[in-house]
Amino acid sequence: MTNRYLHQLSQCKRLRDMEIKTSERMFRRQLQPNKAHKFIYCGIEKAGSTFWRRLLQHVQLGTVQTPYRIRPELVNSYYVDLSKSTLLEVLGLLKSFTKFIFVRNPYTRLLSGFIDKLYSPNPYYWNKIGIPATRLARETTHTCGHGVSFKEFVEYIIHSNNNPQSKRDVHFIPAHQLCLPCYIQYDFIGKIESFEKDAWFILGKLNLTQYIPVLQNFKNQAVFDALYDVSHTFIEFRKEASKCLSFEESLKRTWRKLQFRGIIADEINLPFSYKEAENITEEKLLSTFIKANKQSQKFDLRSQKQKHLMHAYSTISLQTLEKLVEVFMIDFKIFDYNIYPAFIFQNTNISIKTLLV
């Protein structure tokens, strides 16, 4: 992890003349302090933030329990940020407290956000991002926002990053704009790709090793938590989403979401009819998801997830990919992610201009 810290410093020196598009207000809202243990966590959505915000609730309350005891919908119940602190107070805490963040490959983070917030039934994000993205791509005002494709979504992310008046959301904003790593020297930089190892290491550095035993079954807890969250969200949004999608189509998307995430195998089909989709209970849906996940263990779920990632990006033109790289260029460089991974660019001819960036 020391190497990541040094890499961040060296890259930030090289990038010191690049403009950072951010706002002080947004930055303060990402900062979650714990004054008793003297640390600050800067949360980056779709990079483990729900896990950390729940765990830090337990730390704040002094309860040694798994973060998964707190349901996803209650993640912000005790959330305390620095949005109401003065700039002088914020700078003081940043100077004296231990600081850490968790980051994620921009390509996987962006697709994860799309699947979670726009592909699966979510009227809030259909309205906030789906409608403006669809209008930008199709020049139409007659839309629910539910039909936005990944290609149209990516084009909107590029557009909104370059147009301050466009609607943006923290789930899709580059990590360097949220947590300002070229201005704030974070002591520890964890990565989703090595989450368990990095989380244990950081908990040790924060003198919070008492939480490690309750996380020993971390992976299974995380899968169950995801299944609960997806089933709960489907029921919560089912009625409102029906204004745009049939109950059956909403459930199909929910099932496919779990397949895209590598939790349910592609070979296992949705076992419900249209009528069942309209009246199914949350308990029945959750038990069905759990059963399907158990049946999926004989399949290569990691390769399946990678296949869906590659397919999603295969719909994006090389020209658009080059523009997307520009949006997340600072993230790629300071967090040491491959800008041109073969699994995305294998079917494209990267221009000489792009290679020389």
Side-chain angles (χ1 to χ4, degrees):
M1 200 165 288
T2 300
N3 291 337
R4 293 178 191 167
Y5 174 80
L6 296 175
H7 178 84
Q8 172 204 341
L9 290 180
S10 65
Q11 288 298 315
C12 285
K13 287 181 180 178
R14 296 180 183 181
L15 299 168
R16 60 180 177 269
D17 294 328
M18 292 190 70
E19 178 186 3
I20 305 296
K21 301 175 182 178
T22 189
S23 73
E24 183 185 321
R25 180 184 178 187
M26 180 172 66
F27 170 59
R28 292 187 193 188
R29 293 184 64 181
Q30 301 304 115
L31 298 176
Q32 185 173 359
N34 184 288
K35 295 183 179 180
H37 295 274
K38 295 187 177 181
F39 68 77
I40 293 178
Y41 164 64
C42 187
I44 297 170
E45 280 71 12
K46 306 309 297 180
S49 62
T50 301
F51 170 91
W52 281 107
R53 285 171 181 160
R54 286 188 284 183
L55 181 61
L56 296 185
Q57 281 189 41
H58 283 309
V59 176
Q60 189 75 28
L61 297 171
T63 54
V64 181
Q65 295 183 357
T66 172
Y68 298 110
R69 289 288 298 273
I70 300 172
R71 294 305 187 190
E73 65 270 19
L74 302 176
V75 64
N76 293 318
S77 297
Y78 295 93
Y79 182 67
V80 177
D81 58 34
L82 295 178
S83 59
K84 296 182 180 179
S85 301
T86 67
L87 180 58
L88 191 60
E89 289 172 337
V90 173
L91 293 176
L93 293 176
L94 289 170
K95 184 178 181 180
S96 60
F97 281 20
T98 299
K99 301 168 290 296
F100 75 98
I101 56 173
F102 263 77
V103 297
R104 185 176 186 176
N105 186 309
Y107 292 117
T108 60
R109 178 175 173 241
L110 197 62
L111 179 60
S112 175
F114 171 78
I115 292 171
D116 188 38
K117 303 301 181 184
L118 290 160
Y119 178 79
S120 61
N122 194 320
Y124 175 81
Y125 278 95
W126 288 348
N127 181 66
K128 183 176 182 180
I129 302 295
I131 288 178
T134 305
R135 286 176 176 173
L136 177 70
R138 308 178 193 177
E139 298 182 350
T140 178
T141 57
H142 301 288
T143 176
C144 272
H146 67 291
V148 61
S149 67
F150 183 61
K151 174 179 176 293
E152 293 168 338
F153 165 73
V154 168
E155 290 171 346
Y156 181 76
I157 294 302
I158 296 168
H159 170 82
S160 62
N161 187 73
N162 297 322
N163 293 271
Q165 302 305 316
S166 299
K167 289 185 178 180
R168 304 179 78 200
D169 184 84
V170 290
H171 291 85
F172 316 119
I173 293 175
H176 73 272
Q177 295 180 23
L178 296 174
C179 290
L180 304 181
C182 282
Y183 296 98
I184 308 301
Q185 293 185 5
Y186 289 94
D187 300 283
F188 306 111
I189 302 173
K191 289 190 172 185
I192 283 293
E193 294 77 15
S194 51
F195 186 85
E196 189 171 354
K197 176 183 176 182
D198 293 350
W200 282 203
F201 177 84
I202 290 174
L203 287 173
K205 291 297 183 179
L206 297 177
N207 295 317
L208 296 173
T209 53
Q210 66 268 33
Y211 289 92
I212 294 179
V214 301
L215 294 170
Q216 290 305 312
N217 196 26
F218 163 75
K219 292 182 180 178
N220 289 335
Q221 291 180 46
V223 169
F224 178 82
D225 185 70
L227 296 176
Y228 166 81
D229 185 38
V230 171
S231 59
H232 178 80
T233 301
F234 172 80
I235 298 299
E236 180 183 10
F237 288 141
R238 174 168 53 182
K239 184 176 181 180
E240 190 175 354
S242 67
K243 298 174 183 177
C244 303
L245 288 176
S246 67
F247 293 118
E248 184 178 27
E249 183 59 30
S250 286
L251 190 52
K252 283 182 179 179
R253 287 197 183 194
T254 300
W255 189 265
R256 286 297 287 162
K257 171 183 177 177
L258 292 170
Q259 292 176 325
F260 292 153
R261 292 180 60 179
I263 296 177
I264 292 178
D266 287 341
E267 291 80 0
I268 300 177
N269 296 320
L270 177 68
F272 299 117
S273 66
Y274 173 80
K275 289 186 178 179
E276 289 176 305
E278 183 176 1
N279 299 305
I280 192 170
T281 65
E282 183 175 335
E283 292 74 18
K284 175 66 174 177
L285 190 58
L286 178 57
S287 65
T288 302
F289 287 162
I290 292 172
K291 180 180 178 180
N293 172 253
K294 290 180 179 178
Q295 295 172 336
S296 299
Q297 298 311 306
K298 60 184 177 181
F299 299 99
D300 188 349
L301 296 176
R302 179 175 295 184
S303 295
Q304 173 183 302
K305 186 176 181 179
Q306 185 76 354
K307 178 192 72 175
H308 288 303
L309 175 70
M310 293 170 62
H311 175 73
Y313 279 98
S314 72
T315 65
I316 313 299
S317 69
L318 175 58
Q319 182 182 19
T320 301
L321 282 174
E322 288 178 334
K323 293 178 180 178
L324 183 65
V325 164
E326 288 299 319
V327 172
F328 289 92
M329 180 63 77
I330 296 179
D331 280 11
F332 283 119
K333 289 188 173 182
I334 63 179
F335 299 128
D336 198 21
Y337 285 109
N338 186 356
I339 302 173
Y340 304 110
F343 63 83
I344 288 179
F345 289 90
Q346 62 181 347
N347 295 319
T348 62
N349 295 313
I350 304 175
S351 67
I352 295 178
K353 175 184 175 182
T354 301
L355 288 173
L356 293 177
V357 171

